[in-house]
Amino acid sequence: MKSESLPVDLYETHRAGLLAYARRLSGDGVLAEDIVHDAWLLFSRQPSGSVLSPVSYLRAIIRNLLLGRLRRAGIERVSTADFDMTVAGIVDNTVSPEETVATREIVVRIMDAIDAMPDRQAQAIRMYHFEGMKLREVAKVLGVSVPLVHALIAEGMAICNKIRREGQ
């Protein structure tokens, strides 16, 4: 009968399971062999009996070694890649001057629409969306019910959204 207190017996007993675990994480049988071997070398340096759950500890070592290799591989891919090809793959999120002007025009039209709304509705929208007040706070300031504030804001926002969609 094998005793798991001996490190070699532990390795022989659990090697197949550790290899399967490493293979499942890495997707590569050869890499899994290397990882399990490296994990075993690191584990064997631990003082005997210092690890309460040796198999779980070995699995953690395997996972961490694999993550370290994946990180290094990613860094190496980026550091050895052609600069022009790498830069070409970066999406330019810069807004064009035309888009900036168009957006400003839409904002002006929306603000004009809010100014043209009934006073109570315009105040509710400004307090809620621009000042960050809660519905019940707006209701208290305006002296109306929370459902009415909600309806005022919803109707006003429908108008603003229509203007925004028309401007696109």
Side-chain angles (χ1 to χ4, degrees), residues 63-74:
R63 184 184 64 247
N64 291 340
L65 285 173
L66 182 62
L67 289 173
R69 285 193 186 198
L70 291 173
R71 270 190 222 108
R72 270 193 311 275

Side-chain angles (χ1 to χ4, degrees), residues 39-52:
W40 179 253
L41 290 174
L42 289 171
F43 176 79
S44 65
R45 294 180 189 157
Q46 299 299 315
S48 181
S50 66
V51 178
L52 298 176

Side-chain angles (χ1 to χ4, degrees), residues 59-143:
R59 286 173 157 250
I61 293 172
I62 289 168
R63 184 184 64 247
N64 291 340
L65 285 173
L66 182 62
L67 289 173
R69 285 193 186 198
L70 291 173
R71 270 190 222 108
R72 270 193 311 275
I75 290 169
E76 288 170 1
R77 255 192 321 275
V78 170
S79 65
T80 61
D82 180 46
F83 179 77
D84 292 332
M85 289 181 65
T86 303
V87 171
I90 297 174
V91 177
D92 184 14
N93 290 330
T94 307
V95 178
S96 71
E98 294 81 12
E99 290 173 316
T100 302
V101 169
T103 301
R104 284 183 182 158
E105 288 174 0
I106 292 170
V107 169
V108 167
R109 288 180 46 217
I110 289 173
M111 295 307 294
D112 289 344
I114 292 172
D115 290 341
M117 291 177 187
D119 188 46
R120 192 166 57 175
Q121 187 174 35
Q123 283 182 320
I125 290 173
R126 285 189 189 100
M127 285 188 275
Y128 183 74
H129 284 288
F130 301 141
E131 296 174 24
M133 295 174 70
K134 297 182 177 178
L135 290 175
R136 70 176 173 280
E137 294 170 334
V138 174
K140 186 175 181 181
V141 169
L142 294 178

